[in-house]
Amino acid sequence: MIYEPISLDSASRVPMYRQLYESIRDRIGAGALEVGEKMPSIRCIAEELGVSRTTVEQAYQQLCVEGYLVSRPQSGYYVEAAVRSEPPHPDEDREEKEPPGVRYDFGSRYVDMRGSDIELWRKYVRSVLSREDIVSSYGHYQGEPALRRELARYGMLLRGVNAAADRIVVGAGVQPLLSLLCGLLGERAGRVGIEYPGFAQAERVFRDFRLNIAPLGHDKYGVTAAELYASHIDVLYLNPANTESMGRPMPVSRRAEILEWAERTGGLVIEDDYNGALRFKSRPVPAMQGMDGGGRVVYLGSFSKLLMPSVRISYMVLPEELAALYGQRGAYYNQTSSKVEQLAFAEYMRDGHIEKRLRRLRKVYAEKSGLLMTLLAEYFGKKAKVRLAETALCVDVTFPCAVSAQELARNAMKAGLRVIPTVGGEENEKNACVRLSFAGIAEEDMRGGVALLHQIAEENR
Amino acid sequence: MIYEPISLDSASRVPMYRQLYESIRDRIGAGALEVGEKMPSIRCIAEELGVSRTTVEQAYQQLCVEGYLVSRPQSGYYVEAAVRSEPPHPDEDREEKEPPGVRYDFGSRYVDMRGSDIELWRKYVRSVLSREDIVSSYGHYQGEPALRRELARYGMLLRGVNAAADRIVVGAGVQPLLSLLCGLLGERAGRVGIEYPGFAQAERVFRDFRLNIAPLGHDKYGVTAAELYASHIDVLYLNPANTESMGRPMPVSRRAEILEWAERTGGLVIEDDYNGALRFKSRPVPAMQGMDGGGRVVYLGSFSKLLMPSVRISYMVLPEELAALYGQRGAYYNQTSSKVEQLAFAEYMRDGHIEKRLRRLRKVYAEKSGLLMTLLAEYFGKKAKVRLAETALCVDVTFPCAVSAQELARNAMKAGLRVIPTVGGEENEKNACVRLSFAGIAEEDMRGGVALLHQIAEENR
C-alpha cells in the first residue's frame, strides 16, 4: 500500500491536497511507485487517510497535469512517468521537434504579428549594428544606460512604477534577475511564499537557491493577509496584475494589506508584472510597487509579448536599500541581455513605438478574446466553464471529460489541434481543463479550432 | 589594536596571507576599521602575529588592489573604502562614465576589430532577422539546436571537447550557466575550490548560492593534487588553459592527477576554457574535458573575445549524468542568449568563419603581444618583470613603485593612460603590478603608451 506511510498534517500551512501531491510525487521520483503501476482509487485513499475525496482528486489531478499519473477511463490512475513532463508555463511549450500537422494552434509559442513592428524592429537593430563602437565593446553590466532611462520613463508612465534608471537592472528574462536578487538577499530570503501554482520558472530559481517554498492559499481576491502572517515567509512572489485564483487583478485594498504585512514583518514583495500593461477590457491597474512607500517591493517587468518573443529583455526595479547593495556588487554580475537588442529597444521606446504597439495589441487581443469567448459559448454552451485571463492572453476551458487534460491534449494534437492541459479550478475526475492561448492563432482559424476541440471533448466525454 | 583578535591557523588549507586578508577585510566591512584610519605597519603586524613580513605584505597588497586600503608613500597604509571597488576582472572594467581623454587604452573593454567580421556578422544577423517565424517565436530553452550542433563540432575539432548537441546548454555568459549548474548540483556542491584569485564573476555566483569557497594554493603547474585531497572540496573551478599561478596551460600530467582526484572522491571539475583556442605562441592545449572518461568534467566555453564583445553566447557541456538531470528540468529554465544572435552565430560557424577568425586573431595577437613585450623591454629593461598571459590577452608588468598599483593606475589615468591594477606575483610594498591588455589598443599607440607608463613609473618610484 503506497499510502501507508503517508501522513498528512491538517494543522500545516500547506494545503492537504498539496501535501498529498508532494508525498506521491516524491514516492514516484524515488522509485517507490513504478511506472505502469496502478494507483489506489480516490475513494480508497480518501478513506485510509481520512481526507475528503476532493483533496485526493486535486492531488491526482495535479499529478496528471504534470505527467506523473495518467487517468484511464473505466480503469483508474496509473503511474505514467517518474518526472514532471508537461510544459511548466504557457509561455514555454517548447519541444525541439514540432509534431507535424498542427492545424489549429492554441499554444503560446507565438504572438500575433499582425500590424507588428517587425520591419521597424529590423530597422532599429540594423541601425545599432552599424555602429562599430557598440558592437566591439562590452555592454554595461547593469543594462545599457539609454535603455534604463527609457524603462524608467515607461514604468512610471504606463505602470505607475516608481523607478529611477540607477535602481533598474536589465536582464535576459525574469530568471537571471531572480537569481541576482536571491544572491543579493542572501539569508534574508529563507522562506518564499508563492500563490500556487504560480510561475514554475520562478519557483525553479527559488528551489535552486534551496529556499523553502510555501505554497499559499487564497480567497477570491488572491493571497490573504492572514495567510501571509501565518506562513512566516520572508519573501512573497506575486503577480497582482493577474492573480492565480481568479485571473483578475488584485484589488487595491488587498494590495494595501499585503504592503502592511511587508512593513510590519520586514518582508519583501517581488511583484512580477507579467504583461501588466496588456489589459484590454478595462484600464490596466497600476503596479503595486507604486503604492509602496517603504521600499518593500521589487518590481519585475518584461516585454516578450509586447515586442517579439525572441527578444529577451526584462528589468527589475530595486528598492533603495537593495539598490545600494547592488551598487557595491553590480560589477561582479555580467549583463545577460544582448547589447544590440537593448539599444535597439531603447531607441524604439524613445521614438514612442512601445505605446503605439500597446494600443494596437490591446485592440487586437480585445477582438481575438471576444471572438474566442463567443465561439466557445456557441459550441459548448453551458457544458463548459470558461475563464478569460487577460494579461496571460488565454482562456481556460473546463468541461466534462473521461480522460485527463493531458490525455485530451494528446488526442487533440493527433487531430491537429494544440491546447495546453492545465489546472483550472473546476477540474476533477470527471472534468478536464485546457488552456487556449489566443495570442498566436489567427482569427480565421478560431472557429475551426473550437469546433475541433468540441468534437474531441465529445469523443472523450 | 585591530590585529589583537586576529588569529591565524597555520595548519589550515587556506594560505596565511589569505586568512589575514579576510580578517582585515571583514573588520573593514563591519566598520571595526573606519575609512581614513591608519593601519599598523607591516613589521608591527608581522611581529604581533608571528608571521613573515611577506605574508602581511601580500594581504595588504590584495586589500590595496581591491580598494579597501591605500598606500601613502612615506606614511603607511590607510583604510580607503569599506567595499571592494576595483573592477573584478580584466574583461569588465566598465564604468558608466568614461573618464575623458584616455589617449592610450590598455584596458580590456575592447577587442581588436582589424580584419574583423563586423560586416559579415551584420549580414548574418540581418538574414536571421528577416525570417519572421524566428523573430516571432520563443527560442529553445537549451539553446537553438542549429547552434548546439555547430558548437559540438567546434568543441570537438578545435578544443578536443567530447561534446554532443544534446549535452550542450547555451547561455548568455558563464554566470547564467554556472547558476544553472549550481541548481542542478544542489547539495552535491557544498564546497567549491578555486585557484585564487580566479574569475571574480564565477566566485560571485558560488557565493550567491552560499557555497563554501576554498581558495587553493598551487605550485608552478597550478593547483596540486595534494591540495585537492586536503581541501575536502566537492567541486573544483579551474581554467587549465591559463593557470592563475603562471599564466600558462596546466601540463597534461597535472590534469591527469586532478581527474584522478575527481574519480576517487566523486568530485566534479568545472573547466572554464576562457579563450582556450586563442593561443598564438604555441599550439592550443586541448581541453581537459576530452581526457575525462568518467563524466567528471563540466566544460565551459565562450566567444566574447572571438566574435564581438557585445554578443553574449557561452556554452556548457554536461557529463551524461548531469545531462540526464537537465533533461528532466531543462524546460524550467528559460534561455538567456538572444535567439537571433544564436542563429546568426550558428550560420557564421557553419560557413567556416570561426576558424578563419581564429587564424586571423592568432596572427594579430602574436604580433601585438610581441611588439608590446619588445617595447616593455626597451623602456623598462631589467627594472620590470614582465609576464605574458596568452589567452587572457594581457601582459602583467611588475616594477618598483612607491605607491600602490591602484594609485599608480589612477595617476596614469589622469595622464591619459589606462592600465589595470592587479596582483601579479612579484608585488610587495616596493613594487606595483599593472596589467596591460593588448586586445583593444592599436599597434601604433603602443609605443606612446609604454613610454608614458615608464614615465609615470619613474615619477612614482
Side-chain angles (χ1 to χ4, degrees):
Chain A
M1 300 275 237
I2 65 110
Y3 48 93
E4 267 282 284
I6 292 180
S7 73
L8 305 182
D9 176 7
S10 60
S12 163
R13 290 176 299 268
V14 181
M16 297 287 272
Y17 90 92
R18 177 76 190 172
Q19 292 181 44
L20 181 60
Y21 153 80
E22 285 178 354
S23 298
I24 298 173
R25 187 195 60 190
D26 292 349
R27 277 165 181 76
I28 295 174
L33 287 166
E34 283 178 34
V35 172
E37 198 168 317
K38 188 172 193 291
M39 294 291 291
S41 74
I42 287 178
R43 174 172 320 192
C44 183
I45 291 215
E47 280 171 12
E48 283 283 334
L49 295 175
V51 296
S52 74
R53 287 194 46 170
T54 313
T55 297
V56 185
E57 274 168 11
Q58 285 177 334
Y60 271 32
Q61 201 60 38
Q62 182 65 29
L63 290 159
C64 285
V65 165
E66 295 184 359
Y68 293 103
L69 297 186
V70 63
S71 156
R72 300 206 184 116
Q74 273 84 46
S75 172
Y77 288 88
Y78 292 81
V79 179
E80 171 85 344
V83 295
R84 189 165 168 172
S85 61
E86 271 310 293
H89 189 261
D91 270 11
E92 311 292 345
D93 46 330
R94 312 155 291 190
E95 308 81 47
E96 187 152 346
K97 280 173 196 135
E98 182 73 353
V102 176
R103 173 76 186 87
Y104 304 104
D105 196 340
F106 286 109
S108 55
R109 304 175 86 171
Y110 298 92
V111 298
D112 203 300
M113 298 300 280
R114 262 184 315 164
S116 87
D117 288 339
I118 193 157
E119 258 318 313
L120 205 57
W121 178 246
R122 282 186 195 122
K123 196 195 85 182
Y124 283 104
V125 173
R126 278 198 295 259
S127 147
V128 174
L129 260 182
S130 69
R131 282 140 63 187
E132 182 169 321
D133 58 321
I134 290 174
V135 184
S136 67
S137 66
Y138 290 92
H140 191 282
Y141 57 90
Q142 190 171 352
E144 295 304 306
L147 176 61
R148 285 187 281 123
R149 283 192 295 273
E150 290 301 326
L151 289 171
R153 188 185 60 79
Y154 170 89
M156 191 93 73
L157 229 63
L158 276 99
R159 303 298 304 125
V161 173
N162 176 9
D166 61 353
R167 289 196 288 121
I168 290 179
V169 183
V170 175
V174 163
Q175 282 189 322
L177 293 173
L178 282 180
S179 287
L180 201 158
L181 184 60
C182 285
L184 287 181
L185 290 175
E187 296 191 357
R188 268 184 66 184
R191 195 169 162 81
V192 180
I194 56 170
E195 197 192 8
Y196 193 77
F199 181 36
Q201 266 87 348
E203 190 181 328
R204 185 67 257 164
V205 173
F206 299 137
R207 287 200 186 280
D208 282 353
F209 276 86
R210 290 188 255 167
L211 309 180
N212 291 315
I213 310 279
L216 302 175
H218 48 71
D219 64 13
K220 63 178 176 168
Y221 300 127
V223 173
T224 65
E227 184 86 5
L228 291 178
Y229 287 103
S231 64
H232 300 289
I233 55 171
D234 308 295
V235 174
L236 170 64
Y237 181 83
L238 198 66
N239 177 355
N242 181 51
T243 53
E244 286 293 337
S245 42
M246 295 301 283
R248 283 202 297 255
M250 178 178 276
V252 170
S253 57
R254 180 60 53 85
R255 295 172 184 225
E257 285 168 34
I258 290 177
L259 288 174
E260 196 190 325
W261 159 81
E263 276 295 339
R264 281 200 187 171
T265 63
L268 185 79
V269 178
I270 303 175
E271 176 179 26
D272 185 349
D273 192 34
Y274 180 73
N275 286 345
L278 249 187
R279 298 205 82 85
F280 29 90
K281 296 187 64 160
S282 53
R283 278 177 61 83
V285 180
M288 198 164 152
Q289 191 260 15
M291 292 172 66
D292 168 38
R296 310 237 61 99
V297 178
V298 172
Y299 175 89
L300 287 171
S302 50
F303 295 93
S304 67
K305 293 284 185 196
L306 285 190
L307 191 59
M308 317 270 157
S310 66
V311 175
R312 307 287 307 154
I313 299 180
S314 297
Y315 69 112
M316 168 164 80
V317 184
L318 293 171
E320 291 289 356
E321 191 198 335
L322 285 171
L325 184 59
Y326 176 80
Q328 292 168 23
R329 289 206 200 145
Y332 293 85
Y333 297 102
N334 291 323
Q335 179 55 235
T336 47
S337 190
S338 158
K339 184 182 183 186
V340 169
E341 287 175 355
Q342 281 184 65
L343 287 169
F345 190 41
E347 297 182 7
Y348 174 92
M349 289 180 101
R350 181 202 60 200
D351 295 348
H353 294 300
I354 190 82
E355 282 96 337
K356 282 187 211 152
R357 175 96 182 116
L358 253 177
R359 282 196 294 272
R360 270 203 310 274
L361 278 179
R362 284 183 188 139
K363 194 160 165 290
V364 165
Y365 289 137
E367 282 168 16
K368 291 180 86 172
S369 64
L371 176 59
L372 181 57
M373 298 291 275
T374 305
L375 288 167
L376 285 166
E378 183 183 327
Y379 279 84
F380 283 85
K382 294 208 163 142
K383 280 180 292 180
K385 278 222 166 195
V386 171
R387 185 182 96 165
L388 167 68
E390 271 186 75
T391 59
L393 305 177
C394 66
V395 174
D396 288 346
V397 191
T398 310
F399 46 81
C401 190
V403 301
S404 70
Q406 216 197 347
E407 201 171 329
L408 187 101
R410 274 197 295 263
N411 292 341
M413 188 63 102
K414 282 176 205 150
L417 168 69
R418 188 204 301 275
V419 296
I420 309 159
T422 186
V423 267
E426 305 292 329
E427 72 289 328
N428 57 40
E429 236 177 324
K430 296 212 172 71
N431 283 328
C433 178
V434 295
R435 177 165 288 181
L436 311 184
S437 166
F438 50 82
I441 192 168
E443 269 162 299
E444 56 269 30
D445 288 334
M446 279 190 179
R447 177 174 291 275
V450 171
L452 186 52
L453 177 65
H454 181 254
Q455 184 193 320
I456 290 160
E458 288 296 310
E459 287 166 11
N460 290 278
R461 203 165 169 174
Chain B
M1 301 275 236
I2 65 106
Y3 47 92
E4 267 284 282
I6 292 180
S7 73
L8 306 182
D9 176 7
S10 60
S12 163
R13 291 176 299 269
V14 181
M16 298 285 274
Y17 90 92
R18 177 76 188 172
Q19 292 182 42
L20 181 60
Y21 153 80
E22 284 179 355
S23 298
I24 297 173
R25 186 194 60 189
D26 291 350
R27 277 165 181 74
I28 294 174
L33 287 166
E34 283 178 35
V35 172
E37 197 169 317
K38 187 171 194 288
M39 294 292 292
S41 75
I42 287 178
R43 173 172 321 194
C44 181
I45 291 214
E47 281 172 12
E48 283 282 333
L49 295 175
V51 296
S52 74
R53 285 193 48 170
T54 313
T55 298
V56 184
E57 273 168 12
Q58 284 177 333
Y60 271 31
Q61 201 60 38
Q62 181 65 29
L63 290 160
C64 285
V65 165
E66 295 184 0
Y68 292 103
L69 298 186
V70 64
S71 154
R72 300 205 183 117
Q74 274 84 47
S75 173
Y77 289 88
Y78 291 81
V79 180
E80 170 86 343
V83 295
R84 189 165 167 174
S85 61
E86 271 311 292
H89 190 262
D91 271 13
E92 310 292 347
D93 47 331
R94 313 156 290 190
E95 307 80 46
E96 187 152 345
K97 279 173 196 133
E98 182 74 352
V102 176
R103 172 76 185 85
Y104 304 105
D105 196 342
F106 286 108
S108 54
R109 306 175 83 168
Y110 297 92
V111 298
D112 202 300
M113 297 302 278
R114 261 184 317 162
S116 86
D117 289 337
I118 194 157
E119 258 317 314
L120 206 57
W121 178 246
R122 283 186 193 122
K123 195 195 85 182
Y124 283 104
V125 173
R126 279 197 294 259
S127 147
V128 173
L129 260 182
S130 69
R131 282 138 64 188
E132 182 168 322
D133 58 321
I134 289 174
V135 184
S136 67
S137 65
Y138 289 92
H140 192 283
Y141 57 91
Q142 191 170 352
E144 295 305 306
L147 175 61
R148 285 187 281 124
R149 283 191 296 272
E150 290 301 326
L151 289 171
R153 187 184 61 79
Y154 169 89
M156 191 95 72
L157 229 63
L158 276 99
R159 302 299 302 127
V161 172
N162 176 9
D166 61 353
R167 288 197 287 122
I168 290 179
V169 183
V170 175
V174 163
Q175 282 190 323
L177 292 172
L178 281 180
S179 287
L180 201 158
L181 184 60
C182 285
L184 287 181
L185 290 175
E187 297 189 357
R188 269 183 65 184
R191 193 168 162 83
V192 180
I194 57 170
E195 197 192 8
Y196 192 77
F199 181 36
Q201 267 88 348
E203 189 182 327
R204 185 68 259 166
V205 173
F206 299 137
R207 288 201 186 279
D208 282 353
F209 276 86
R210 290 188 254 167
L211 309 180
N212 291 316
I213 310 279
L216 302 176
H218 48 72
D219 64 12
K220 64 179 177 166
Y221 300 127
V223 173
T224 65
E227 183 87 5
L228 292 178
Y229 288 104
S231 64
H232 299 289
I233 55 171
D234 309 296
V235 174
L236 171 64
Y237 181 83
L238 198 67
N239 177 356
N242 181 52
T243 53
E244 286 294 336
S245 42
M246 295 300 284
R248 283 202 297 257
M250 178 178 277
V252 170
S253 56
R254 180 59 55 85
R255 294 171 186 227
E257 285 167 34
I258 290 177
L259 288 174
E260 196 188 326
W261 160 81
E263 277 295 338
R264 282 201 187 170
T265 62
L268 186 79
V269 178
I270 303 175
E271 176 180 24
D272 185 349
D273 191 34
Y274 180 72
N275 286 346
L278 248 188
R279 296 204 83 84
F280 30 89
K281 297 188 64 161
S282 53
R283 278 177 61 82
V285 180
M288 197 165 153
Q289 192 259 16
M291 293 172 64
D292 168 40
R296 311 238 61 100
V297 178
V298 172
Y299 175 89
L300 287 170
S302 49
F303 296 93
S304 67
K305 293 284 185 195
L306 286 190
L307 190 59
M308 317 269 156
S310 65
V311 175
R312 307 287 307 155
I313 299 180
S314 296
Y315 69 112
M316 169 165 79
V317 184
L318 293 171
E320 291 289 355
E321 190 198 336
L322 285 170
L325 185 59
Y326 176 79
Q328 293 168 22
R329 289 204 199 147
Y332 292 85
Y333 296 102
N334 291 323
Q335 179 53 237
T336 46
S337 190
S338 158
K339 184 182 183 184
V340 168
E341 288 176 353
Q342 281 184 66
L343 287 169
F345 190 41
E347 297 182 6
Y348 174 92
M349 290 180 102
R350 181 201 62 200
D351 295 348
H353 294 300
I354 190 82
E355 282 95 338
K356 282 187 212 152
R357 175 98 183 114
L358 253 176
R359 283 196 295 273
R360 270 201 311 272
L361 278 180
R362 283 183 189 140
K363 193 160 167 291
V364 165
Y365 289 137
E367 283 167 17
K368 291 180 86 172
S369 63
L371 176 59
L372 182 56
M373 298 290 276
T374 305
L375 288 167
L376 286 167
E378 182 183 327
Y379 280 85
F380 283 86
K382 294 207 163 144
K383 281 181 292 184
K385 279 222 166 197
V386 172
R387 184 183 96 166
L388 167 68
E390 271 186 76
T391 59
L393 306 177
C394 65
V395 174
D396 288 346
V397 191
T398 310
F399 46 81
C401 190
V403 301
S404 69
Q406 215 196 349
E407 201 170 330
L408 187 99
R410 274 196 296 263
N411 293 341
M413 187 63 103
K414 281 177 206 147
L417 168 70
R418 190 205 301 275
V419 296
I420 309 159
T422 185
V423 267
E426 305 291 329
E427 72 290 327
N428 56 42
E429 236 179 326
K430 296 213 171 72
N431 283 328
C433 178
V434 295
R435 176 164 288 179
L436 311 184
S437 166
F438 51 83
I441 192 167
E443 268 162 298
E444 57 268 31
D445 289 334
M446 278 189 180
R447 177 174 290 275
V450 172
L452 187 51
L453 177 65
H454 181 253
Q455 183 193 320
I456 290 160
E458 287 296 312
E459 287 166 11
N460 290 277
R461 203 164 169 174

